[in-house]
Amino acid sequence: MTATRPSVPDFAAIPVLSVAAVVVVVLTALSGRYGYHRDELYFMVAGQKLDWGYVDQPPLTPLLARVSTEVFGNTPMGLRVVSTLASAITVVVVALIAREFGSSRRGQLLAAVCAAVSGFLLGVGHLVSTATYDLLAWMLICLFAVKLLRTGDGRWWLALGLTAGVALENKYLVVLPIGALLLALLIVGPRGVLRSWWLLAGIAVAGVVALPNVLWQFQHDWPQLTVAGGISEDDGTENRIMFIPLQLLQLSPFLIPVWVVGFRRLWQLPWARSVALAYPVLCLAVLAVGGKSYYALPLLLVLVAAGAEQVLSWSRRAVAAGLVLTAVTSAVFTLPVLPASAVDFVIPINKEQGEQIGWPLMADTVAAEWNRIPTDQRSAATIFTGNYGEAGALRRYGPALGLPPAYSGHMSFADWDRPPDTQTGPVLLVEIERSPAFEAQFRGCEQVATIDNIVSNDEDGAALVRCDSPAEPWSTLWPKLRRYY
């Protein structure tokens, strides 16, 4: 076991908590602009159908979406309260990590500010997503791992294991940073922390907490592996090509010097060298599986925390200018500060901005075509959408427009509801692009409208197609309509 390290500096509680409070104020003030993101619309429906798992994710994010809307209201602002608080806590944890590396109160404050203005934290903090809670979990895991390495106290494995278990109930990606850190420990040490019964205890705690979802996945033939394989197959090449550019851009290009200095600083500390090495190891793992670039971004915040103290010796004007530029660019590209009509400007960099706009317009278009179906046919008519965002939007806005529940074969929507076989009447299809193979499952299909959104997002230009009826009973048709990605 490693020797006990010197004690850490005092925690800059008031300055750091003040930065976190500013993050809460900013995110709250902007949370009601634009509208729900497509994933949020899906999470809200999933939260109404709570289970120990879904085909594409564990249960934590839908549960938190349910809690937030039940307590604070079913509005974009109400939905995002818990996400906002999670991001503010993340800022505090980054400062605590800086403290573990010996940063003074000023260094801790700078680390908190860097995290608070980073594009990745603001982007995931504005929305409800699995990445939002993943980021907080990863930062906590890193904090406990650094405490373990600094002190040599194996009991930190318990805290690490508990946090990992909870994170596994949100997203399985947490195995990547843990695996990267373990491999880095084997390569550069200190290996003594691995020779401890506390490690086995931490693994046991993680396993017990994660077990309900693991059992659910086992009972349902591991659908999440099918989803992950499909994502990698569809996007793997693009993800690999864009990995390095997005690593440099998504946190902020102005923070590159900070995390480069942080990497060098950790490499010079024998007890922390494995934390530095974990980042390139993680990058190689993400590249190998064709994962998205943001899978590795949380560890960059750890390097930022490590570099903050040395940045204090740089020109104050240069540092201030870099932070201001980071804040401005992060806000423009990740927060809803632009008029909705101007969002096309940022969509090439961050398409998630556009995915928050146009859902009520889509619902209005569907409602207009639904009302053209003869009244005596509507009781046997069905609305079927191509993806969970469209179905979620119609579930959210449809009741006020007199629409029946929309169905979809996408992800877990396929498990929640299926039209009864008595629905033999007209079918309204929402398709991003018309597909003859898909429409072959229905009779007499004709495009009756086009979705016209404010911005160039996925649904802009989508086709609304009216068919006379399903070609087969819905129970027979349903397996053919299922989509995992």
Side-chain angles (χ1 to χ4, degrees):
M1 198 64 71
T2 58
T4 302
R5 314 291 174 186
S7 59
V8 296
D10 293 336
F11 178 48
I14 293 177
V16 169
L17 291 175
S18 297
V19 174
V22 171
V23 170
V24 170
V25 171
V26 170
L27 291 180
T28 301
L30 295 173
S31 62
R33 285 177 56 82
Y34 298 173
Y36 299 103
H37 187 275
R38 69 164 63 250
D39 291 348
E40 292 176 323
L41 293 164
Y42 179 49
F43 294 143
M44 287 195 297
V45 180
Q48 297 299 319
K49 300 178 181 296
L50 291 175
D51 203 342
W52 281 112
Y54 306 92
V55 299
D56 53 338
Q57 65 186 310
L60 185 59
T61 296
L63 172 62
L64 294 176
R66 169 81 176 268
V67 170
S68 200
T69 52
E70 291 285 349
V71 176
F72 301 106
N74 190 357
T75 64
M77 181 177 289
L79 172 66
R80 293 166 178 167
V81 170
V82 176
S83 176
T84 294
L85 295 175
S87 296
I89 295 171
T90 300
V91 169
V92 176
V93 176
V94 171
L96 288 171
I97 293 173
R99 175 174 177 257
E100 290 297 316
F101 293 135
S103 291
S104 63
R105 292 170 60 87
R106 290 175 60 223
Q108 297 167 35
L109 174 60
L110 181 57
V113 172
C114 288
V117 299
S118 66
F120 183 58
L121 184 138
L122 290 177
V124 301
H126 168 61
L127 302 174
V128 174
S129 71
T130 54
T132 309
Y133 306 114
D134 241 16
L135 178 58
L136 174 56
W138 283 37
M139 291 300 98
L140 286 170
I141 287 170
C142 290
L143 173 63
F144 299 142
V146 171
K147 283 181 173 290
L148 168 69
L149 296 174
R150 182 182 64 80
T151 65
D153 187 346
R155 288 174 293 184
W156 285 110
W157 280 118
L158 291 178
L160 202 156
L162 176 61
T163 308
V166 174
L168 285 168
E169 292 289 0
N170 179 64
K171 202 166 187 176
Y172 289 164
L173 282 179
V174 72
V175 301
L176 292 178
I178 293 176
L181 180 59
L182 290 174
L183 182 57
L185 280 170
L186 289 173
I187 295 173
V188 298
R191 300 179 187 87
V193 296
L194 300 175
R195 295 190 292 268
S196 169
W197 288 105
W198 290 111
L199 170 58
L200 297 179
I203 293 172
V205 170
V208 169
V209 176
L211 184 61
N213 178 252
V214 173
L215 289 176
W216 188 95
Q217 287 286 326
F218 172 76
Q219 293 166 353
H220 292 80
D221 297 325
W222 302 100
Q224 199 159 346
L225 295 180
T226 303
V227 174
I231 293 174
S232 179
E233 182 178 341
D234 277 5
D235 301 331
T237 300
E238 180 182 353
N239 290 341
R240 293 183 180 97
I241 292 172
M242 294 301 298
F243 182 84
I244 292 178
L246 291 178
Q247 287 295 290
L248 302 177
L249 292 173
Q250 286 181 321
L251 199 63
S252 172
F254 301 106
L255 293 179
I256 294 173
V258 184
W259 57 259
V260 169
V261 167
F263 182 91
R264 291 179 58 188
R265 184 184 179 203
L266 293 186
W267 195 254
Q268 293 166 358
L269 294 174
W271 67 269
R273 192 168 292 164
S274 58
V275 179
L277 183 60
Y279 172 66
V281 170
L282 177 59
C283 290
L284 290 175
V286 174
L287 282 168
V289 300
K292 298 181 182 298
S293 65
Y294 76 82
Y295 292 176
L297 283 179
L299 290 193
L300 278 183
L301 282 178
V302 177
L303 299 183
V304 166
E309 184 70 18
Q310 288 186 310
V311 171
L312 293 174
S313 63
W314 298 356
S315 165
R316 291 187 179 183
R317 289 185 178 180
V319 172
L323 291 174
V324 170
L325 288 171
T326 299
V328 171
T329 54
S330 295
V332 169
F333 286 101
T334 66
L335 296 178
V337 296
L338 297 176
S341 58
V343 170
D344 279 350
F345 169 71
V346 301
I347 285 179
I349 302 298
N350 179 18
K351 67 172 291 187
E352 309 309 329
Q353 292 279 64
E355 297 304 317
Q356 303 168 62
I357 297 171
W359 299 112
L361 288 175
M362 186 203 77
D364 289 341
T365 304
V366 173
E369 294 306 321
W370 175 263
N371 290 331
R372 291 189 175 93
I373 296 175
T375 305
D376 61 344
Q377 297 181 29
R378 291 181 198 166
S379 62
T382 305
I383 300 174
F384 186 88
T385 72
N387 64 55
Y388 61 59
E390 297 158 352
L394 294 176
R395 293 286 181 107
R396 173 64 182 84
Y397 297 110
L401 299 171
L403 295 177
Y407 298 94
S408 180
H410 193 208
M411 299 299 190
S412 282
F413 260 99
D415 299 317
W416 295 331
D417 299 293
R418 173 178 60 77
D421 286 343
T422 53
Q423 300 291 106
T424 57
V427 182
L428 276 181
L429 304 177
V430 183
E431 302 180 70
I432 290 181
E433 293 182 356
R434 294 195 66 179
S435 167
F438 172 66
E439 293 178 14
Q441 311 300 326
F442 306 91
R443 297 189 180 97
C445 295
E446 178 185 5
Q447 183 168 344
V448 292
T450 300
I451 308 297
D452 184 14
N453 283 342
I454 299 173
V455 298
S456 301
N457 58 15
D458 284 350
E459 265 61 42
D460 186 48
L464 186 57
V465 176
R466 177 176 167 178
C467 304
D468 294 335
S469 66
E472 301 175 274
W474 284 104
S475 57
T476 304
L477 198 57
W478 204 243
K480 304 176 185 178
L481 298 176
R482 170 148 221 165
R483 289 180 50 228
Y484 284 102
Y485 43 87

